[in-house]
Amino acid sequence: MTVDGERLVRRLKELGAVGVDQDGRLTRLAATDADKAGRDLFVRWAKEAGLKVLVDRIGNIFAVYETPENSGTAPIMMGSHIDTVIDAGNFDGCYGVLAGLGIVETIMAEGIHLARPLVVAAFTNEEGVRFTPDMMGSLVYVGGMDAEVALQAVSIDGKLLGYELERIGYAGKLDPELPAPEAYVELHIEQGPVLESLGMQIGVVEDLQGISWQRITIDGVANHAGTTPMDLRRDAGYAAAKIMEFVHERAMEYNTEMVGTVGSVHFEPNAINVIPSRATLTVDLRSPKEERLLEAEAALAEELTSISNALGVTARSEILARTQPVQFCDDIVARIEQVAELRGFKSVRITSGAGHDAQMMARLCPTAMIFVPSAKGISHNPDEYTPDRDLINGAHVLLDVVTDLAGKH
């Protein structure tokens, strides 16, 4: 079987034009008018294909294909999200949703009778830009967050999520009568440079990194930059630099098992001729191994104490987010490898460095992911790009895996 690749690429471009502002920037934040327009387009395509569309309380959309023979049995679910970051690319999330829809259409057109229904999910607020936490829709769906709590989330522009979903017409009244999935498979662009650098066509995602986010605040003493001797300073800025160096060096020690980033730094009073009295910085630690994260977190806490004592400053840390690594289903991972080989595609097992709805779905059912290359590793950016042939290759792998999982009736 082959997916209609031309239709998939055309739809990605059409959806990618929804939410483009007058400056040419694509932005579809969750539960905005632009998000509604993107949702409406996906729902229209699903209904035109003859699928039943359900919406739950948190606004997750489920396009369902079932037959009298398999109705009521646990489905095989595909999907991702269609909300975006600010000034986004066309592929992140949207590729998995639209490829899933194309796969259902292929199976219907081929007249194949499956033992299980198929469901294509478009989860709410995966990006977490307008509302927090990220991956909210899938988190609520698997029972990791109460829907009523999530609906009270306040956006960066001061709006309640529940109100905004009502306003755009995507507030389901009840959880849909949909059995928990037998398995979930998510197709996604890599959002990194590994596949392209290795010359691989398919990434077989076997695990997903755990994430530790902290905000560190360092208090020192502001003083004149010209008159205060170096050995008498309590310099919060210098302490921040020591922490930045520590995060980098610690991650380098772990090699491929850890990445560490200081992504945001702010000094007060932030003047060229004043020693900083306060420095605020964020630390992002990621590893596919929980023990590595725990070790790095403990080492960072020790370093904060050491720096405070040595430099006469006060350093404190606040946990912003913490997720454990996810190991995907060995059986589905092996099936993806086998399908890629049968299709003649070069594949490699890979770790996902970014968060995805799949990490939430892994709490509920056997789960795995398929990656296709991202040109230059760019994502969350208008230059995000994957060649058409790679998009179609990934859709073919997903088609075969899903057909295998769903079984012939």
Side-chain angles (χ1 to χ4, degrees), residues 122 129 167 196 246 259 267 293 327 363 371 382 393 408:
V129 176
R167 184 183 66 82
E196 184 182 59
F246 175 82
V259 291
F267 292 159
L293 273 183
Q327 299 294 317
R363 304 183 184 189
F371 277 174
N393 290 345
K408 299 290 180 64

Side-chain angles (χ1 to χ4, degrees), residues 225 270-275:
N270 205 34
I272 191 171
N273 59 349
V274 180
I275 299 165

Side-chain angles (χ1 to χ4, degrees), residues 44-83:
R44 192 193 87 199
W45 285 331
K47 289 184 175 179
E48 288 174 351
L51 306 187
K52 177 172 63 176
V53 175
L54 305 173
V55 180
D56 69 7
R57 286 182 293 171
I58 200 65
N60 296 323
I61 303 170
F62 302 98
V64 182
Y65 170 57
E66 61 182 2
T67 63
E69 294 82 8
N70 63 31
S71 179
T73 60
I76 304 301
M77 185 179 288
M78 302 166 279
S80 193
H81 63 98
I82 59 174
D83 67 310

